[in-house]
Amino acid sequence: MAGFENHIGFNISGSKLQVVEVNYIEDQFKLVNVDETYFNDRIDFEIDKETKISALLQGAFDELLIKKNFNSNSASFTLPFELFHTMQMPYDTTLLYQDLLDEFKWELSILYPFISTKNLVLQYFEIEKGPFNEMGSALVFAVQRRYLQILDSFCKKNNLKLKFVDNLHIAAERSLSVSNAIMYKGLTLSVYFNNKFLSMFFAFNGKPLYFKVIPLNDASEITDHLIKETSRSPILNIDKSQIEAAFISGDEISGTVVQTLKKALGLDFILFNPFDKIRPIPELYENKLYLEKYNSFSSAAGIAFRIA
């Protein structure tokens, strides 16, 4: 396919590195690698120096490389929730691009007075006015430049070209839109959680509508948060009955958790498979991660599927 490069998608958490590799073989996309490995020591992104983060990342990469060589020169990454500063706000559509970024940075400095906005890298999505929101807004993600520099240095060291860096739920949403394209219509809800955070993403006909990340003390809080966030609010004018489909992803999500949420919210949550629309190489049919833990790779898959 003209313009497509073989692509590796990495998902970095505090404890492990996940990889999904997609190659273009014999005129079709093929899934060639699904794997993960744990760091020798847990990464604390707030405290650890760049040298430690880089060393742990390189050690995990080398372990993956020993098991299977990569056929790609391009790599993209998803980063954990705690590295992103997120906000959703109305904005002036007449502002020039740089003026708009300056406005966002100013708003971020108010919301997060403890950070230096001059070292932030921003990405934003425009959200148009629609049936569920009375005004347009911008969904803004900001990350410290130091983390991008760590990834860039890692890629250069390993002869890779850094392409994209994204929030892990936004990347998971991309894999959802690819694997469930038929169901991904109307008002949809996707939920992502791990042991520290719960995030919720509403979309309408595949376009972002609302996103929120909620810190968790423990998993017992998840149900109450979801009940509250799926009720009508000043920001989002929805009713649960209007949700066409609900999806769930994250690390180590059991069928029991899915059934509990279905019962509590009355929504038929789907523990989706990000690989069900891409052909795997034969070896993957013997890979337990591919066969049994597919949902936990939604972020790595989503960033691997990204081409623009």
Side-chain angles (χ1 to χ4, degrees):
M1 180 178 180
F4 179 80
E5 300 176 354
N6 292 345
H7 195 197
I8 310 169
F10 292 105
N11 176 43
I12 302 174
S13 71
S15 61
K16 65 183 176 181
L17 178 66
Q18 294 181 311
V19 61
V20 169
E21 185 177 8
V22 176
N23 289 176
Y24 196 67
I25 305 171
E26 298 173 348
D27 297 326
Q28 62 181 312
F29 296 105
K30 285 191 177 181
L31 184 67
V32 299
N33 197 358
V34 176
D35 206 350
E36 66 182 17
T37 187
Y38 286 82
F39 299 124
N40 292 330
D41 188 17
R42 186 174 182 86
I43 296 177
D44 187 325
F45 293 98
E46 296 293 325
I47 298 175
D48 290 341
K49 294 181 178 179
E50 286 87 343
T51 51
K52 179 180 178 180
I53 297 173
S54 297
L56 290 171
L57 185 60
Q58 186 64 48
F61 177 79
D62 289 342
E63 283 190 37
L64 294 171
L65 199 58
I66 289 170
K67 289 191 283 184
K68 183 178 176 63
N69 196 22
F70 296 113
N71 297 315
S72 306
N73 295 319
S74 297
S76 296
F77 298 80
T78 65
L79 295 174
F81 290 120
E82 58 263 35
L83 301 192
F84 288 89
H85 306 290
T86 308
M87 68 177 182
Q88 188 165 341
M89 55 167 282
Y91 72 106
D92 185 351
T93 57
T94 64
L95 288 176
L96 297 175
Y97 178 74
Q98 188 56 53
D99 293 334
L100 189 57
L101 292 183
D102 290 340
E103 173 70 14
F104 290 154
K105 285 186 177 182
W106 184 83
E107 293 288 349
L108 285 164
S109 71
I110 303 300
L111 282 175
Y112 305 100
F114 50 89
I115 63 172
S116 172
T117 57
K118 70 178 182 179
N119 293 318
L120 290 179
V121 177
L122 271 62
Q123 176 189 29
Y124 72 94
F125 299 92
E126 296 181 6
I127 299 175
E128 298 177 354
K129 177 182 177 181
F132 304 106
N133 52 322
E134 295 183 356
M135 64 178 66
S137 61
L139 175 58
V140 183
F141 295 89
V143 64
Q144 293 287 344
R145 190 178 303 275
R146 68 184 286 251
Y147 299 117
L148 306 188
Q149 292 170 336
I150 290 172
L151 297 180
D152 186 53
S153 296
F154 167 82
C155 285
K156 288 176 179 176
K157 181 178 180 179
N158 293 285
N159 297 314
L160 296 169
K161 180 173 68 175
L162 178 61
K163 293 194 70 176
F164 309 113
V165 179
D166 216 337
N167 176 285
L168 78 170
H169 191 164
I170 299 303
E173 186 77 8
R174 185 180 300 274
S175 71
L176 167 59
S177 65
V178 171
S179 62
N180 290 273
I182 296 176
M183 299 182 65
Y184 198 62
K185 301 294 182 182
L187 180 65
T188 57
L189 166 67
S190 71
V191 174
Y192 192 110
F193 66 84
N194 55 27
N195 60 345
K196 288 185 177 181
F197 296 93
L198 163 72
S199 66
M200 305 181 62
F201 189 103
F202 281 98
F204 182 59
N205 290 335
K207 295 183 178 180
L209 186 62
Y210 177 74
F211 178 80
K212 185 173 184 178
V213 177
I214 303 168
L216 297 173
N217 293 313
D218 57 66
S220 66
E221 302 173 344
I222 290 173
T223 301
D224 288 342
H225 282 304
L226 288 177
I227 290 173
K228 178 181 178 181
E229 295 296 332
T230 53
S231 302
R232 292 181 182 272
S233 72
I235 299 175
L236 208 57
N237 183 31
I238 66 165
D239 187 274
K240 277 190 296 186
S241 63
Q242 297 170 301
I243 299 174
E244 298 288 343
F247 305 91
I248 190 167
S249 59
D251 202 21
E252 305 291 348
I253 300 175
S254 67
T256 301
V257 169
V258 176
Q259 291 301 320
T260 299
L261 294 179
K262 285 182 180 181
K263 184 177 180 180
L265 280 85
L267 294 173
D268 189 20
F269 280 98
I270 299 168
L271 191 65
F272 71 95
N273 184 348
F275 305 128
D276 66 356
K277 293 295 189 294
I278 184 169
R279 179 170 294 181
I281 60 173
E283 294 94 312
L284 286 176
Y285 289 113
E286 299 177 2
N287 183 327
K288 286 189 176 181
L289 295 174
Y290 169 76
L291 295 173
E292 300 173 8
K293 291 187 63 178
Y294 48 82
N295 181 264
S296 71
F297 285 85
S298 58
S299 295
I303 201 71
F305 296 159
R306 183 173 172 180
I307 59 176

